[in-house]
Amino acid sequence: QKEVEQNSGPLSVPEGAIASLNCTYSDRGSQSFFWYRQYSGKSPELIMSIYSNGDKEDGRFTAQLNKASQYVSLLIRDSQPSDSATYLCAVRRGSARQLTFGSGTQLTVLP
Amino acid sequence: DAGVIQSPRHEVTEMGQEVTLRCKPISGHNSLFWYRQTMMRGLELLIYFNNNVPIDDSGMPEDRFSAKMPNASFSTLKIQPSEPRDSAVYFCASINTGMPAQPQHFGDGTRLSIL
């Protein structure tokens, strides 16, 4: 079992729809959770971080964390073609410095 | 803030040659990470340094790979001898561990092709 698992996709949604991206993790000691967006040929860039159970909203993005079920999700409302990218889930254990990344979900928003 | 700076951006070389990738972390950041990204294996941590000291190199694939951080503003990742299976994008990232909630900041990466 991989430490951090994501559906590889590709996931396609029409413009204006809600895109839902999911991630599960195996290490119950994980404390910090991040969503990175990576455009083709570019480096990962952080779009959301979440540390406690529940929802965290930032503009069109909402991160959801459920530590009991060991999953974290990212919702993108009013999806735009510019949201088309690979979304990487990353997890950090306790006070550790390193991140463990999932393999990413490729999202395509269709105009 | 200049961000994490990596060089070269692209490297194409023949199998057996030595390859050196370079990274300058963000000023004030005290932890530095080297990652490799491939389609098959995704983004993998190779090694990370804290205060210039290697902390975890368990991700380094084999002895052909080595990394150094001689000072707080410079790190190298060396592959000698290189092989075609080393072809990947190599990213460097840095953080300031004195700011617990800080995410890692990535450089633009080096796209390495070994022929």
Side-chain angles (χ1 to χ4, degrees), chain A residues 11 13 18-22 64 73-76 105 107:
Chain A
L11 173 66
V13 299
I18 296 175
S20 177
L21 306 166
N22 300 313
Q64 299 174 317
S73 63
L74 179 70
L75 300 178
I76 307 175
T105 298
L107 172 67

Side-chain angles (χ1 to χ4, degrees), chain A residues 31-89:
Chain A
Q31 296 292 327
S32 307
F33 306 86
F34 306 90
W35 283 99
Y36 283 80
R37 178 177 61 199
Q38 186 175 25
Y39 292 115
S40 180
K42 301 295 186 181
S43 61
E45 58 174 326
L46 182 74
I47 53 172
M48 289 289 286
S49 57
I50 188 166
Y51 307 99
S52 55
N53 282 329
D55 295 359
K56 179 182 178 182
E57 187 174 316
D58 183 1
R60 296 185 297 111
F61 298 98
T62 299
Q64 299 174 317
L65 175 61
N66 184 322
K67 290 185 178 180
S69 300
Q70 295 177 247
Y71 85 79
V72 57
S73 63
L74 179 70
L75 300 178
I76 307 175
R77 291 182 300 281
D78 188 24
S79 296
Q80 301 297 309
S82 58
D83 295 326
S84 298
T86 295
Y87 289 80
L88 300 167
C89 173

Side-chain angles (χ1 to χ4, degrees), chain B residues 10-72:
Chain B
H10 303 273
E11 175 89 13
V12 181
T13 192
E14 292 187 348
M15 181 176 65
Q17 297 297 307
E18 178 179 292
V19 173
T20 299
L21 310 181
R22 297 173 176 80
C23 176
K24 177 180 169 56
I26 292 173
S27 178
H29 283 194
N30 63 338
S31 280
L32 182 143
F33 307 80
W34 282 101
Y35 291 91
R36 178 173 67 177
Q37 188 174 39
T38 61
M39 289 292 293
M40 290 297 296
R41 300 175 67 90
L43 194 60
E44 303 174 281
L45 177 66
L46 300 177
I47 185 172
Y48 84 91
F49 295 84
N50 190 58
N51 294 325
N52 312 338
V53 176
I55 302 300
D56 183 356
D57 65 355
S58 59
M60 296 285 263
E62 48 197 276
D63 292 345
R64 297 184 297 106
F65 286 68
S66 62
K68 294 182 179 180
M69 191 163 186
N71 57 61

